[in-house]
Every structure is written in C-alpha cells, then in structure tokens.
Amino acid sequence: MAIVAAVLALVAAQLARADGLIPALTAQQAENARQWIGGFKTNLRGPYLRIRWYCKDGSVLPPAGNPCKDLGGGVQHAELNSQAVRLASWNVHAGTLLTGLAYDDLFDAAQYHHRLKELVLEAYLVEVDQGWIYRKAVSYRGARQIEDEEKAGREFLIKMLSTPAWTARNYHLATQAVRVVPHGVADSTVQKTRALAAVAAEQDPRFQDLRAKIHSHPGPEDLGSVEAFLKAKPDSGAAKPLGELLALLRAQQNPVNWLPRLTEHGKRLAGTRFPALIEALKGALSERGAEHALERAAELSVAIRDEASQSANGRRNLLLMDLNNMIQEKAFELRRPPSIASRREMLAHWYEHVRLAAGAGLVSDRQLGALRGELDAGLKSQRAPAEEYRRLLRYLNRAVEWCRATVQRDFGPVAEHYGAFEPASRGLVDSLLRGSAALAVANLIEILAADADRQAGLRHSVFGQEAAAGVAGLNPGIATGRLGILKPGEEHGVVDPRGIYVIPQTASDLKPMAGILTLDSGNMLSHSQLLAANLGIPNATAPSSILGALEAKAGADVFYAVTPKGVVVLKEKAQLSEAERKLWAAQPAGPPKRIQLDMSRLRLDDRRMRTLTEVSTADSGAICGPKAANLGQLAGYFPDKVAPGLVVPFGIFFEHINRDLDRSGRTLQAQITEMVDEAERMRARNAEPAEISAYVYPRLERFRKTIQGMPLLPEFEREITSRMAAMFGPDGSYGVFVRSDTNAEDLPEFTGAGLNLTLANQVGTANILRALRAVWASPFTERAHDWRSRALIGTDKVYPSVIVMRAVPSDKSGVIATADLETGDQGWTTVNLSEGVSAVVDGGVAESILIGPEGAVKLLQQCRATYRKTLGAKGGFVNLPPLGGDSLLDNGEIGQLRAMVAEVKRKYPPAHGTAGMALPWDIEFGFEKGQLRLFQIRPLVRFQELKTLEALASLESGGRGMVDLEGTP
C-alpha cells in the first residue's frame, strides 16, 4: 500500500527552547506595563513629563524662549516620564520621538530592528485604539515638533535605504517603515494643512485639540474630524480657514488626484526607467480598465523593488518607495476579479496580485519564480486531469502562507511582546495582511481551491459549511469528543485527552488530545505532529477566519475526521446521518490498541560506558536506546560526519534508581512500578482521566525531584569525568549535548519523539553531571507519561540511556525525510532547516525544499526565522539576528545531502512499519563551514492502521475527470 497522501510531520529532537532576541516580560512587568499604558491613555501629557530644549552642546534647558540660541542651536520636544523610561528598559518604547534619537538606536540591528518595528505597531495601536497613549496628549503642545520629526525621519530613512543588501533582505519591513516614519512629502499640501489648522485654532480655541492632532499625528481621519467640527459648531469664528482646510483635505484624499501625483513622481524620476512605467500605468487607468491597470501597477511595483534592492541612492529609493506605497494602496481597490472569467483568466488575475505582493516584499523573487514555474507547467494545455489541477492549486495556495510568514517574521515578535499587556497588539499581523495584496491573493485562491476540490470530488466540511483555502489535512485519523478552544498562551496542561482542540499553533510541548485543528499553519517541526501522526490523531489546519464558527460550537460533542487525501470533516455528533453512524460504529474512532513494551532484550546488568563507535543497531533495546544505536551505526558509515560521543547505558540508570533514595525502605524502581500498576487498575475500571492524573502526577513530580537530586555513585562519577576528559579535552574547554534515549521510543508502533529532555551545549563537568540527572528524570514528566500511557503498556520499565555528544557549532541545521511527505514518493527527499544550531524553529518558519531525482529542487517554504541560535562560550545558546539570504543551502550543500541520502539508502536495510510498508528515514543534520554533519537517524514512523485509513477513504469520492481551464470555476 502506498504511503498515505497527506502532509505528515517531520521532526528532530528538540534541542532547547529559546526566548528569541527580546526577553519576555515577567508577570509583574506585564502588569505594571498594563497599568502604566492605561494611565498614559487618560493623561493629558500621555507618556511625557515636560517640555525641554535639547541643545547641541548637550544642555537640557527649560522651554522658556530659545536658550539654545547661543549654544549652537537645538530642538524642543517632550521628555519621557519615569514610567515610560522604565518601560523602555523592558523593550517597550512608548512615546518614541525621532528628534535627537541616534540612527543606530532606532535601527536597532542587534535586536533585529525591534525599535523600528515598534513604530509600526504604535501606528496600528493609534489607529485601532482611539489614539492609544496619545488619546488625550494630542493637545499637549510642544511635545513633538512635526517639522523636526519629519527632518529626523527623512534623514533616517535615506540612510537606511542606502544599503541595498539590507533593503533586499528586509524589503517588507522597509516598506512599512517608510509608511509610518514621518518624513514629509514633495509638495506643500501638508505644510498648507498645518498652516490652516494653526490659523483656525487661533481664531477658534475650541479647534486647538484638532490642530494639535493635525500637527502631531496627521492622518486620513482628519477629514471626518474637521467635517464633524464644522457641523457641530456652525458659529465658529474660524469658518474661512476651516473651509479652506476642509477643501484641501478633500482634495488630498480624492482618487481623481492620483494621476497628478503619479505625474509629479514621474518628473522627479526623470532620467530613469520609471517615467515610462508610470505613463503606462496612467494610460491603463485612463483608458484600458482595471485588468490592464493591475498588470501595469504590478510591473511598476516589482520594478521599484528591484531598483531599491540594488541602488545605494537612499534619497531616490525613498522617493520610489513612497511611490510604491501609493501604488499598493491604489491597487488594493483593484482586488476584485472580473465578474465572468475562465479558470485561466482567474489564475492570471491572481498572479498579478502575487506580483503586487512581491512588490510589497511579502513574497520573495525566489518564491515568485517558483509560483510562475508551477503556473506555467499547469496551464500548458487547455485541459488538465482533476488531480493534477488540485495539486497545482494546493501548491499555489502556499503563496498565502508565504505572505503570512513574512509578516509574522517581521512583526510577530513585537506584537507578542506588547500582547502581554496590550491585547490589541496581537491583531497587527492580521491587519497588515488584510490591508495588503495578500488579501486578494487569499480571496482568489480560496475560490480556485474550492473549485479544484470539487473537480477532484473532495469536500471539506466544517459544521455544514464547505471550506477550501486554508483548510488542509495533515494527519489522517478519526476522533469524537468535546470541542475546546485553546487561546494563545493558554496553559496546555488544562487539556482533556479525550477532547478535540482548536489551537493557535502546533506547540512542541502539547499534551495528548483526541484531535487537533491548528489555526493558519501547522508547524512541520512539531513533535506533537509526529506523535499525532503515529497515533492516528486527526490533525489539520484551518484559517483563523473561521474561528468564530468554531467558538460558537465550543463545548459541543463533535465528530472529526481527516482522510488520507487531506479532506477535513468536522460536525456535531448529533448531525451524523444514519449511514455515517453505521460506518463509524463499524470502525470506532480512537487511537490504535496499546501495545506491550518489549523488555525481552534488556540487559540492565551491563553497565559499561561505550563510545558511539562501539554501539550498533544490535544494541538497541538491550543496553541503549535506538537513538544511540542508530547514531553509532551512522558514525561507522560516516565517521567524518558524526561528532564523538559517550553512551551511558540503561544499566547505569537502573543501578542508580534501584536504591532506597528516600529512606522509605523501598527502592525508587519499586515505587515507580507500584504507581504504574495502580494507574493500570484505574484504567481497567474506566476511571476518569482527571482521576488518574490526580493520582499519577504528584508521584511523577516526586520521582523527578528524587532523580534530579540523587547523588551519583562515586565510581560512575569518576569514570565519566575521566572518559570525557580523554575524549573531549580539559574541563571547561568544550560543550556537549546531553541527549536522552529510552527503550520506549522510535519503535515501529510508537515514535516517542520529543518526549524526553535534551540539554544543549553544557559546559563544565558539574553542569554536565547535573544535566545528566535532569535527562534521566525527563521520562517522568506529566506529558511524557501521558503520551506513553496512551500507546504503551509496561511503562514502569522505561529506562533512559544517555548520549553525551560534543557540540557542533552548525551554521545551519535541520531534518530530512527521505520521501516527499505530501505524496509519499520516496524518490524525493524533504529537507527542513534553519540558521544556527537548531533543528526546531522557535521563532518563525523553517526553510523547506524537495530534492528530487536528476537535480530537481522544489521550494516549499523559504526561511522566515526571527533569530538564529549559536553556541554560547559558557554554555547554552546565544541568540542573534538571522543572516537572511535568498536560500539557506547552496548547490554544493544540496549535493552533499543528495549523496548522503543515496548512501543511506544503499547501506541501511529498509525499516518496515506495522503494515509492512517500507518507511522513509528521518535524519538530523547540520552544516559547519560548508561541511555536512549528522546527528541522528531513525525510521519515520507514522500511523498505519489500514482499516481506519480505508474507512476514511470512503469520505473521498472520485474526481478522475478532466478540468477545462477555459471554463469558469
């Protein structure tokens, strides 16, 4: 039987959790920030204390007169109050003033431009939260001098855009910075607006607040505010200047004036290629309609990006990017497709919006090229097989996630940082997406994806509503249970293992549950996905746009199924038809039967430490776990690619716990067996999961603490210290990864991925021995116990061996599956990787490609990580900004991976799952200065219950016909 056609999880051991570049706020800091920000909103001075003169000689003087006149000049603006200063020390820069702020401080390269991103978030909060911290402070005269702010903003942007390599890597961030950083405009409209507002305020003091708003925070909402003022105060003595101001604001926002603004840009760009492109767009807008205008707008936008990404002329680049932002806003109005269009025409219309997304920096040139290639191949004939048409649309749908990944990389961390005290912040990413070309890209592909599914005979169904784009099955399976919604940041310990949960992201530490529905994007690097796939837990993704419909059914008993082809069905159990009830009664929902843990080969009396090269697959389950055994064999096959390491066998752990450690008269092993036996008796009498947990969890905690604190046997401590010195060098001169490896993982029936602890880059003997005990204790966490108990019987006999392996300072690292995870084709290899020392991406999206036969490489996802991990000299990780780049792997590195995979397939006998099918390999790897390093190999175990898969397949109808690409969807 072929491997099921679903995108299954690919994962390597979780090396360590990192916090990113910005330390998270503590609970107390978040509470203080919430209170202080709330106070700023009602304070007439907002986040400011007082007005001061800042002279060029460094003097700070009171605001009376111009005391800086004889000191070389200076500027006047507000001073932050003490609370705002304290917030700034926590990376919350409320009330930022550009005047006097050093370029490097605002650019903030060390924190991946956090301060610059804060300005974008602040502009969003001001828009959606009634002025946010400036709600009352807009009338605080002198707090910010907009002329000085614009001068400082213009100088900053010109310098920022004078480094083309940076602009190319950060184009989306650059476009947003140009949008929000005040820097003035070419004509005098803004100056005239300010002057009229000032005159009106002098003639009618009641206009003073609006005058201050227009001077300090001008925006499109000013038009409505002035109209409302005149309507409410017809007796105003400032009727004349207010009338002129109103006319100016209306003219400024009138779409008819867009053509003259284009003309003005054309004049200022004389001598470049852009005037011709601008004239082409003007002609399309005037004569040839929206479709042609869309093409010309996309062409101009992409050309601007190309120029700004290559030119060091920051002044001209700023002019171009102002023009680009104007084009993007205008093109937003052209997002609706023609009323009647063929599939080919709709795809062409969709592609122009993708080009606009590329022009905004949401899609890279590499991604745009990949989409163009797939589109050209899919449209080469008039008719296409339904399955091929659906595969094309599934690939093109990646563009939506690519856009989201870019915005999430740029603004997700700052929104989450502020979200700890300002919940509205978490809407920033969606707001930026909905206000961009990504909206049209998503809306159009949803129509086309639904059409492709219909043509293929497939129907997603969520509570009776057909769903298309954004809904995708990941792991096949069936479940029934109560529907729950986990909010971002909600404690995952509250889950009921019998429930079906909607979660904000596929978390690496998720506890067992009956079914998983992930909003927006499943994480390909999640241990939970691999565990879910192995146990037949249905797992799918859905767009956050349907969250409201899901929340309306929270608490309901539901039926949930994901088929091998990725069809997703979610409905209330009460709505099942009679035929469906009979079908699912014949094939009950739930995980496969629990299996007895095989302990027949255990040799707990073998307590000899070995080097990696001294163990092989014959030792798996006997003296060490499969991780060490497979790694030993890997070291034999690839001696120059596997770092040296020591293996601490099961027997040494057993020797340590087979002692009376708490003076109770019983060994710790006996206490563990007693707990497991009682838990099994409780399951046999159908005790509630909560009752079992209430019995088990306190005992697990006690076992962990005992193991973590127990003294090591003196002979073992002396031996491991001596062996490490001989293998790695003097104490403190090296770092090691201390990796857990039990006899209850990487089994044909159960993977156990990520359930146990790995402690990264431990430096110093004392730290390494402390880490060893922590790793020994990790099988006794609540999560590890719950997942194992779901699949295995005999968990009291779970023993960890440990690998102590020299740390490798990888420049990039990741995981490989020796198959296309979507189609199951083992002629292809799936590669996921990120920058730095990490196979798990904590802060963004990993690079994902397919390496095919005869040199083919297919892009699945471009790296959008928010930081990279490097080894710390004193241990642990140091997080640094990502280096960026269009592709993480060069041709030579891809060649090394291709050769390594071919050698693995030649030398390793194929592993087979419970259904007899050959399993692909899951391989951890890294590159150190261009040289391949290998860290682990194991079979990629997945759920293979044939009867369940066959029952699921009954949800999928035929769809074997042809699709007319000239027909309408």
Side-chain angles (χ1 to χ4, degrees):
M1 177 180 174
I3 295 178
V4 295
V7 181
L8 298 178
L10 173 64
V11 67
Q14 183 172 352
L15 303 181
R17 181 81 184 163
D19 292 325
L21 298 173
I22 305 297
L25 298 177
T26 66
Q28 186 58 58
Q29 287 172 339
E31 177 58 24
N32 287 344
R34 186 188 65 78
Q35 293 181 13
W36 295 345
I37 291 292
F40 296 165
K41 294 178 184 181
T42 59
N43 192 324
L44 294 176
R45 295 187 177 187
Y48 305 120
L49 174 65
R50 58 191 176 182
I51 309 297
R52 282 291 181 266
W53 275 99
Y54 295 83
C55 305
K56 289 186 177 180
D57 73 341
S59 302
V60 180
L61 301 171
N66 186 356
C68 295
K69 184 177 181 180
D70 298 326
L71 299 175
V75 293
Q76 185 188 79
H77 59 76
E79 175 187 350
L80 293 175
N81 65 29
S82 60
Q83 293 173 338
V85 171
R86 188 74 180 277
L87 287 171
S89 70
W90 302 339
N91 292 292
V92 178
H93 296 90
T96 293
L97 296 171
L98 304 183
T99 306
L101 186 62
Y103 175 84
D104 288 342
D105 289 340
L106 180 57
F107 192 64
D108 197 13
Q111 295 188 116
Y112 202 28
H113 317 298
H114 174 74
R115 290 203 66 175
L116 188 57
K117 295 169 182 178
E118 283 180 296
L119 294 183
V120 178
L121 176 59
E122 179 179 289
Y124 166 73
L125 291 172
V126 166
E127 178 185 349
V128 301
D129 191 23
Q130 305 175 61
W132 197 47
I133 57 174
Y134 308 109
R135 190 176 297 173
K136 299 293 185 181
V138 290
S139 58
Y140 185 30
R141 296 187 62 181
R144 64 173 68 206
Q145 302 293 334
I146 194 64
E147 294 85 352
D148 293 334
E149 288 292 284
E150 287 186 346
K151 179 182 177 182
R154 186 163 52 251
E155 290 172 352
F156 172 82
L157 291 173
I158 289 171
K159 185 173 181 178
M160 182 186 77
L161 297 174
S162 297
T163 307
W166 181 89
T167 305
R169 288 196 305 270
N170 300 277
Y171 194 77
H172 176 253
L173 172 59
T175 64
Q176 296 301 321
V178 169
R179 181 178 65 84
V180 303
V181 172
H183 57 280
V185 293
D187 59 33
S188 60
T189 301
V190 174
Q191 295 293 342
K192 290 177 183 177
T193 300
R194 291 197 198 106
L196 287 168
V199 171
E202 289 176 4
Q203 296 180 5
D204 187 344
R206 295 176 296 178
F207 192 71
Q208 188 58 250
D209 285 354
L210 268 177
R211 180 262 183 196
K213 162 67 172 66
I214 292 170
H215 274 239
S216 301
H217 304 282
E221 67 279 1
D222 295 338
L223 173 59
S225 298
V226 174
E227 288 175 335
F229 182 88
L230 279 172
K231 185 176 180 180
K233 300 173 178 62
D235 61 337
S236 174
K240 186 175 184 298
L242 284 174
E244 293 179 18
L245 175 61
L246 192 59
L248 190 61
L249 290 172
R250 285 171 175 164
Q252 187 180 355
Q253 298 184 35
N254 192 332
V256 173
N257 294 325
W258 203 62
L259 293 177
R261 292 170 67 192
L262 283 174
T263 300
E264 180 62 26
H265 272 88
K267 290 177 181 178
R268 299 182 68 192
L269 291 165
T272 71
R273 58 178 168 151
F274 293 101
L277 293 172
I278 290 171
E279 288 302 313
L281 175 56
K282 287 170 58 181
L285 286 167
S286 302
E287 302 168 8
R288 303 195 51 188
E291 284 305 296
H292 193 59
L294 183 66
E295 295 176 27
R296 299 287 75 80
E299 181 180 18
L300 178 53
S301 184
V302 170
I304 290 172
R305 175 176 176 170
D306 290 343
E307 179 68 19
S309 299
Q310 299 174 38
S311 169
N313 188 334
R315 193 172 301 277
R316 187 176 64 197
N317 288 341
L318 178 55
L319 177 63
L320 285 170
M321 293 185 72
D322 276 331
L323 172 61
N324 192 34
N325 281 341
M326 187 170 66
I327 292 167
Q328 291 285 332
E329 289 179 12
K330 182 63 177 178
F332 191 79
E333 301 170 13
L334 307 174
R335 66 187 184 275
R336 299 187 184 280
S339 56
I340 300 177
S342 68
R343 294 182 176 92
R344 188 184 300 275
E345 289 169 335
M346 287 204 46
L347 284 167
H349 184 84
W350 173 84
Y351 182 71
E352 295 304 328
H353 284 288
V354 174
R355 284 214 297 164
L356 278 166
L362 293 165
V363 173
S364 71
D365 288 342
R366 179 186 178 198
Q367 291 170 332
L368 188 64
L371 294 168
R372 181 74 262 177
E374 292 293 320
L375 202 54
D376 288 344
L379 298 179
K380 62 185 177 182
S381 301
Q382 179 177 334
R383 293 163 60 81
E387 283 295 335
E388 289 186 14
Y389 177 61
R390 180 173 181 265
R391 278 196 294 270
L392 169 66
L393 267 296
R394 282 173 68 86
Y395 186 86
L396 297 183
N397 191 43
R398 293 179 183 276
V400 179
E401 177 54 30
W402 292 348
C403 290
R404 174 173 286 277
T406 298
V407 180
Q408 181 66 32
R409 174 201 63 189
D410 288 345
F411 297 104
V414 69
E416 190 60 30
H417 188 64
Y418 274 59
F421 60 87
E422 185 63 271
S425 303
R426 293 195 171 102
L428 175 64
V429 170
D430 283 340
S431 176
L432 291 174
L433 284 165
R434 287 194 300 268
S436 73
L439 181 66
V441 172
N443 288 346
L444 288 167
I445 207 67
E446 183 172 1
I447 296 170
L448 291 161
D451 172 57
D453 280 351
R454 284 193 297 270
Q455 297 300 316
L458 304 177
R459 301 285 192 278
H460 300 296
S461 177
V462 178
F463 295 120
Q465 300 296 316
E466 283 195 16
V471 175
L474 296 175
N475 302 323
I478 315 166
T480 57
R482 195 176 300 277
L483 184 67
I485 313 288
L486 287 183
K487 303 295 184 181
E490 186 172 355
E491 175 56 51
H492 292 151
V494 302
V495 302
D496 180 344
R498 299 168 300 181
I500 295 165
Y501 284 91
V502 178
I503 62 177
Q505 60 182 1
T506 307
S508 61
D509 58 351
L510 203 62
K511 287 194 172 185
M513 52 184 61
I516 303 170
L517 188 65
T518 309
L519 293 180
D520 294 318
S521 175
N523 181 356
M524 287 286 286
L525 296 177
S526 163
H527 292 113
S528 297
Q529 281 213 34
L530 187 55
L531 290 164
N534 177 216
L535 294 173
I537 296 173
N539 192 359
T541 66
S544 55
S545 58
I546 69 170
L547 178 59
L550 297 170
E551 289 177 329
K553 301 293 184 180
D557 286 328
V558 299
F559 167 82
Y560 180 39
V562 179
T563 78
K565 284 187 177 180
V567 175
V568 178
V569 176
L570 179 63
K571 59 168 60 179
E572 291 186 77
K573 282 177 64 177
Q575 300 302 314
L576 287 172
S577 68
E578 188 60 32
E580 288 171 329
R581 290 180 185 279
K582 289 181 179 179
L583 172 63
W584 306 123
Q587 179 56 54
K593 292 181 179 179
R594 297 168 71 212
I595 60 170
Q596 182 70 47
L597 180 61
D598 182 10
M599 294 165 281
S600 62
R601 301 181 64 249
L602 273 174
R603 288 161 45 194
L604 297 177
D605 58 342
D606 189 327
R607 297 161 188 169
R608 182 172 68 88
M609 275 189 294
R610 295 161 169 83
T611 65
L612 276 177
T613 54
E614 293 178 302
V615 297
S616 68
T617 52
D619 298 309
S620 179
I623 63 172
C624 63
K627 187 183 300 179
N630 289 335
L631 195 52
Q633 187 174 45
L634 196 66
Y637 288 149
F638 301 95
D640 60 331
K641 293 181 173 60
V642 178
L646 282 171
V647 178
V648 181
F650 298 142
I652 291 178
F653 170 74
F654 179 75
E655 184 180 23
H656 277 79
I657 67 165
N658 198 35
R659 299 182 290 170
D660 181 359
L661 294 168
D662 58 2
R663 299 180 181 179
S664 65
R666 295 177 302 159
T667 67
L668 183 60
Q669 175 65 73
Q671 295 177 48
I672 293 169
T673 298
E674 177 185 305
M675 179 202 73
V676 171
D677 288 347
E678 177 58 25
E680 289 297 335
R681 284 191 289 271
M682 296 173 75
R683 289 188 186 92
R685 60 178 175 81
N686 294 321
E688 289 291 316
E691 182 185 351
I692 299 175
S693 297
Y695 168 76
V696 169
Y697 287 179
R699 288 161 177 80
L700 289 174
E701 182 179 10
R702 179 160 50 83
F703 299 158
R704 289 196 305 273
K705 289 181 177 178
T706 300
I707 294 170
Q708 290 166 354
M710 69 182 177
L712 296 176
L713 294 169
E715 183 178 348
F716 166 68
E717 185 169 346
R718 286 192 297 270
E719 182 183 4
I720 191 172
T721 301
S722 172
R723 295 288 296 270
M724 288 192 300
M727 176 171 285
F728 304 127
D731 188 23
S733 67
Y734 60 88
V736 296
F737 278 47
V738 183
R739 309 175 66 180
S740 177
D741 183 28
T742 73
N743 60 322
E745 58 191 86
D746 294 344
L747 307 174
E749 307 88 352
F750 179 68
T751 175
L755 292 182
N756 308 308
L757 186 64
T758 287
L759 289 174
N761 196 29
Q762 300 297 299
V763 176
T765 299
N767 290 328
I768 294 170
L769 296 182
R770 189 180 303 112
L772 174 71
R773 286 190 289 260
V775 168
W776 273 348
S778 65
F780 299 94
T781 63
E782 297 167 3
R783 176 173 175 267
H785 173 272
D786 289 349
W787 275 108
R788 288 196 187 95
S789 298
R790 183 184 177 97
L792 303 174
I793 300 172
T795 56
D796 60 317
K797 300 300 190 294
V798 173
Y799 301 114
S801 61
V802 175
I803 308 166
V804 180
M805 191 174 184
R806 192 188 68 196
V808 176
S810 302
D811 304 306
K812 60 197 79 169
S813 58
V815 287
I816 283 172
T818 58
D820 179 339
L821 293 178
E822 185 166 350
T823 67
D825 186 348
Q826 296 199 38
W828 290 77
T829 298
T830 304
V831 180
N832 289 269
L833 75 157
S834 55
E835 290 182 303
V837 186
S838 175
V840 174
V841 178
D842 298 315
V845 176
E847 181 103 335
S848 184
I849 62 172
L850 286 174
I851 300 176
E854 302 177 2
V857 176
K858 186 173 184 177
L859 176 67
L860 301 179
Q861 175 59 276
Q862 192 166 327
C863 184
R864 290 290 182 260
T866 58
Y867 63 91
R868 59 190 168 97
K869 298 176 184 175
T870 61
L871 298 180
K874 296 182 179 180
F877 290 125
V878 174
N879 293 338
L880 298 174
L883 297 174
D886 199 45
S887 176
L888 290 191
L889 293 175
D890 60 34
N891 290 334
E893 291 165 336
I894 290 175
Q896 290 184 62
L897 291 179
R898 192 189 303 276
M900 181 271 294
V901 169
E903 195 166 353
V904 164
K905 290 182 175 180
R906 284 196 305 271
K907 292 183 174 179
Y908 277 80
H912 291 86
T914 55
M917 66 179 72
L919 299 176
W921 293 100
D922 171 5
I923 304 169
E924 283 188 39
F925 74 96
F927 279 98
E928 180 187 10
K929 297 179 180 178
Q931 296 302 308
L932 179 63
R933 301 287 182 250
L934 300 176
F935 306 126
Q936 182 170 303
I937 184 170
R938 61 186 175 191
L940 186 59
V941 181
R942 291 174 290 179
F943 178 62
Q944 301 163 80
E945 186 66 41
L946 290 178
K947 289 185 178 179
T948 301
L949 297 181
E950 289 167 359
L952 286 169
S954 67
L955 288 175
E956 302 167 347
S957 55
R960 299 293 185 266
M962 302 292 289
V963 177
D964 182 4
L965 299 178
E966 308 303 332
T968 57

